[in-house]
Amino acid sequence: MKNFLIAKSRRLRSTPYTSRIEEQGVTAYTIYNHMLLPAAFGSIEESYHHLKEHVQIWDVAAERQVEILGKDSAKLVQLMTCRDLSKSKDGRCYYCPIIDDNAGLINDPVVLRINKNKWWISIADTDVILFAKGLAIGNKFDVEITEPKVDIMAVQGPKSFKLMEKVFGEQITKLKFFGFDYFEFGGAKHLIAQSGWSKQGGYEVYVQNTEAGLKLYDHLFEIGKEFNVKPGCPNLIERIESGLLSHGNDMDNGDNPYECGFDKYINIDSDVIFLGKEKLKTIKSEGINKKLMGVKFDIEKISLTGSLDLTDDQNNIVGELRSACYSPNFKKVIGIAMMKKSHWNVDQKVKASINGDICSGKVCDLPFI
Ligand code: THG
């Protein structure tokens, strides 16, 4: 794939932060939920080091919400995920695989229980709203399903706690991981969770009042100078090292949650009703034949567009490399691969054609760190 421009149109949505990040030097976008998602501000490796040491503000408005409202909302949300939400609590987030009747992954969102009749499904890049509406119509559920105007701003990095304390006071540092509450700024209350798509710690501000949200955005940069605050975005290197999976890249509808290592989010033994439960029971008893694993190569450069076959010495395909980057931590290329059972063991050797050379790699556990 060559570098190219993407034509603008109404289908390709910008975010309330777009004009700001363009002034701040965004250099690449990806498209996610039909919306711009920044992918780079200059060097990804420099951003990676900065994210691990300081604090960044991210425009992750493309992580859209599917709001499920009404009497049957809990039933519908449960029907969509293999994770048992019967003991879920208001003010908590839950990482939930969404699967279809064949146990194929549809999405891997964060589900927010606002109250028992109001849920937000904070989605990865597939049209979950259509799936939810189809299920609600077919089951005659009493629910309202919408995409509300919510534009997440993430504050990520080790200094995010000090920065947010400076704005919201000590109270915000008491939020537990994956807990959320409401905090005032700029004349509006914002739902803020301790979460985010990095393992460096931080918060996600679910901005509903755009004007107040933009004031907060600007304020964070003004008062964040002492913490070396910079604009940023989900970082390819950091997320691979941390083993944060990307739906559409590392896994898709052809994979089931066991194959993705989601065992702890699968509750087939509880009595809740969800789609694909029988299929998951069959898969569990028969066992899986492929699994997501880490792979390391003793090389220093890779640029993946699409997936890359991993082979054995006889050139049989034994796996598929789905994401990869150069890791400054390991000083080699690391990646996430769907490995066939015969070759998924740790330390298994595999081969791949990278940058025109046949390279030798080794399978390892996820996460890398
Ligand atoms: N935040 C919000 N919405 C999102 C994402 C996000 N939607 C899209 C995408 N990211 C969904 N995917 C993930 C993947 C991993 C995590 C969150 C969203 C994550 N995982 C933790 C981990 O793996 O350690 C914790 C999971 C757990 O509860 O055990 O945070 O980032 N709003």
Side-chain angles (χ1 to χ4, degrees):
M1 224 186 279
K2 289 193 177 154
N3 286 335
F4 55 86
L5 293 172
I6 293 176
K8 295 176 192 171
S9 81
R10 182 167 178 265
R11 277 186 289 108
L12 175 52
R13 303 180 288 180
S14 56
T15 90
Y17 315 109
T18 303
S19 62
R20 281 170 171 72
I21 67 172
E22 295 195 336
E23 273 184 19
Q24 290 172 319
V26 63
T27 52
Y29 287 115
T30 185
I31 295 161
Y32 197 87
N33 289 320
H34 318 282
M35 196 173 237
L36 293 173
L37 174 64
F41 286 79
S43 155
I44 290 176
E45 198 170 325
E46 278 170 30
S47 280
Y48 156 90
H49 290 296
H50 178 267
L51 172 61
K52 292 201 354 173
E53 242 183 276
H54 305 288
V55 52
Q56 299 182 349
I57 314 295
W58 297 358
D59 168 3
V60 282
E63 294 169 354
R64 303 309 288 169
Q65 307 309 300
V66 176
E67 178 174 285
I68 318 271
L69 207 62
K71 189 164 77 55
D72 291 329
S73 58
K75 238 198 256 179
L76 175 57
V77 173
Q78 182 62 76
L79 187 61
M80 290 197 284
T81 180
C82 54
R83 181 166 182 179
D84 182 353
L85 292 172
S86 61
K87 294 183 184 69
S88 60
K89 296 188 178 75
D90 295 356
R92 295 285 310 164
C93 304
Y94 300 88
Y95 184 43
C96 293
I98 293 185
I99 59 173
D100 61 22
D101 55 333
N102 202 33
L105 266 178
I106 298 262
N107 203 287
D108 68 329
V110 176
V111 171
L112 287 79
R113 177 169 147 158
I114 296 172
N115 60 56
K116 75 178 194 314
N117 293 320
K118 181 174 178 180
W119 303 71
W120 280 353
I121 308 178
S122 187
I123 59 172
D125 184 25
T126 59
D127 294 310
V128 171
I129 192 166
L130 304 179
F131 189 60
K133 285 189 184 207
L135 288 172
I137 295 164
N139 287 290
K140 299 191 165 57
F141 282 156
D142 183 357
V143 286
E144 268 176 64
I145 303 170
T146 56
E147 185 189 290
K149 196 186 80 187
V150 175
D151 299 288
I152 302 181
M153 174 197 330
V155 182
Q156 298 285 297
K159 295 182 184 168
S160 59
F161 302 98
K162 286 280 173 221
L163 174 58
M164 291 291 270
E165 185 177 0
K166 204 170 163 186
V167 183
F168 295 102
E170 203 193 336
Q171 204 54 28
I172 200 150
T173 64
K174 302 215 167 99
L175 267 185
K176 293 202 177 82
F177 181 67
F178 266 39
F180 67 81
D181 210 335
Y182 297 86
F183 299 87
E184 202 274 333
F185 184 86
K189 286 224 159 196
H190 305 277
L191 188 164
I192 303 182
Q194 200 213 298
S195 56
W197 212 54
S198 87
K199 283 282 185 185
Q200 307 311 313
Y203 299 90
E204 291 181 301
V205 186
Y206 288 72
V207 172
Q208 290 190 269
N209 181 319
T210 303
E211 198 186 327
L214 289 174
K215 268 189 208 156
L216 174 60
Y217 186 95
D218 295 337
H219 187 65
L220 287 167
F221 281 97
E222 274 164 35
I223 66 156
K225 291 192 184 98
E226 63 168 305
F227 307 115
N228 192 9
V229 65
K230 285 192 178 166
C233 54
N235 186 282
L236 181 74
I237 304 171
E238 195 280 337
R239 79 95 181 159
I240 292 178
E241 284 187 354
S242 300
L244 289 168
L245 299 181
S246 168
H247 188 270
N249 288 316
D250 304 317
M251 69 288 192
D252 59 30
N253 197 231
D255 309 312
N256 70 54
Y258 288 114
E259 293 166 341
C260 303
F262 287 154
D263 300 57
K264 65 176 172 179
Y265 312 115
I266 306 173
N267 300 117
I268 45 172
D269 296 325
S270 78
D271 52 16
V272 295
I273 299 168
F274 59 81
L275 222 56
K277 193 173 187 178
E278 288 313 306
K279 181 72 186 184
L280 282 178
K281 286 182 183 172
T282 308
I283 294 168
K284 177 141 199 224
S285 71
E286 289 178 355
I288 52 171
N289 299 308
K290 60 182 172 54
K291 191 160 73 178
L292 283 182
M293 296 295 294
V295 188
K296 290 180 185 162
F297 293 93
D298 279 316
I299 54 173
E300 295 185 351
K301 225 179 155 162
I302 192 163
S303 165
L304 270 192
T305 52
S307 49
L308 187 70
D309 287 339
L310 300 176
T311 54
D312 65 8
D313 285 331
Q314 285 75 46
N315 281 330
N316 301 304
I317 295 173
V318 297
E320 191 182 66
L321 187 65
R322 294 180 170 183
S323 295
C325 67
Y326 171 72
S327 160
N329 185 75
F330 295 102
K331 302 198 168 34
K332 55 181 76 172
V333 163
I334 64 171
I336 297 170
M338 188 57 87
M339 297 303 305
K340 288 188 183 170
K341 188 173 186 174
S342 59
H343 285 70
W344 75 24
N345 290 320
V346 168
D347 288 339
Q348 171 68 51
K349 281 202 173 114
V350 293
K351 293 194 308 177
S353 167
I354 305 171
N355 313 326
D357 293 320
I358 303 297
C359 303
S360 161
K362 234 185 203 184
V363 173
C364 65
D365 279 321
L366 288 174
F368 291 93
I369 293 174

